[in-house]
Amino acid sequence: MSSEEARAAREARKARRAERRAHADFTGGVYGSLLAASVVLGAGSLGNFPRVELVVLLVLTGVVFWLAHVHAKLFGERLGQHALDRHTVLAVCREEWPILRASLPPALAVAVSPLLGLDVQGGIWLALVVAVVGQVGWSVRAALRVGASWRLVLISATVNLVLGLVIVAFKLWVKH
């Protein structure tokens, strides 16, 4: 490979990384995790099948908020600028997917909690921890994906951890 070809390959890799960074938006994942933690917090009185009800509540809330964001993007931001076609709708669905995706790990945590020997309250706490960890993880992933400095990655993680701990504090406060 000539030096000119090597330089062109480096430039192409650099352009692909820049393109990925430009389209990396994981704010939906942070938002979805915070939403899931809030659902767990609000799920104080569940009926006869609390685990099943919480799993369904987490997933359906994720679906509803995902659809609401898709709708808002399609009709709020894009309608005046672009005609709606299948490609546009699917692209927006993919962009907003992290909102729904973030609700799945807490729901899975509740579903498997009996296998870990946890009672219903233990499953709720596990889901809350998973949601907070997810929130921090999404924020770190977003910061790294856009090339943020380690300092900014740490700040983003810390802010999201504090937000998650505020929800945990609310759960403890409401409980007492």
Side-chain angles (χ1 to χ4, degrees):
M1 179 183 286
S2 72
S3 65
E4 192 63 31
E5 290 171 327
R7 187 181 63 73
R10 279 192 307 274
E11 291 296 320
R13 283 192 303 272
K14 192 176 182 181
R16 282 193 302 273
R17 282 193 305 270
E19 179 71 18
R20 271 197 322 269
R21 282 195 300 270
H23 294 296
D25 183 7
F26 297 109
T27 56
V30 172
Y31 175 76
S33 295
L34 189 59
L35 175 66
S38 299
V39 167
V40 172
L41 173 67
S45 61
L46 298 169
N48 295 331
F49 303 99
R51 283 189 176 95
V52 172
E53 292 169 15
L54 184 53
V55 168
V56 170
L57 184 61
L58 282 162
V59 172
L60 290 181
T61 301
V63 168
V64 167
F65 275 80
W66 171 67
L67 288 172
H69 277 251
V70 167
H71 177 268
K73 284 255 179 159
L74 288 174
F75 293 97
E77 291 180 12
R78 299 182 188 235
L79 190 59
Q81 301 166 3
H82 305 287
L84 289 181
D85 59 12
R86 184 173 184 245
H87 175 75
T88 302
V89 171
L90 291 176
V92 171
C93 287
R94 275 190 303 275
E95 285 174 23
E96 297 300 322
W97 180 250
I99 292 172
L100 175 56
R101 189 171 160 201
S103 70
L104 300 178
L108 183 62
V110 173
V112 302
S113 64
L115 301 175
L116 301 173
L118 298 174
D119 63 2
V120 172
Q121 283 303 309
I124 288 172
W125 277 105
L126 178 62
L128 188 55
V129 168
V130 167
V132 171
V133 168
Q135 181 180 335
V136 172
W138 280 104
S139 70
V140 167
R141 184 175 179 193
L144 290 173
R145 189 75 177 262
V146 298
S149 69
W150 283 106
R151 182 175 179 264
L152 287 177
V153 171
L154 183 61
I155 290 170
S156 177
T158 302
V159 166
N160 279 282
L161 179 59
V162 168
L163 288 172
L165 292 176
V166 166
I167 290 179
V168 170
F170 285 161
K171 177 147 181 63
L172 291 170
W173 179 67
V174 167
K175 190 83 167 153
H176 291 68

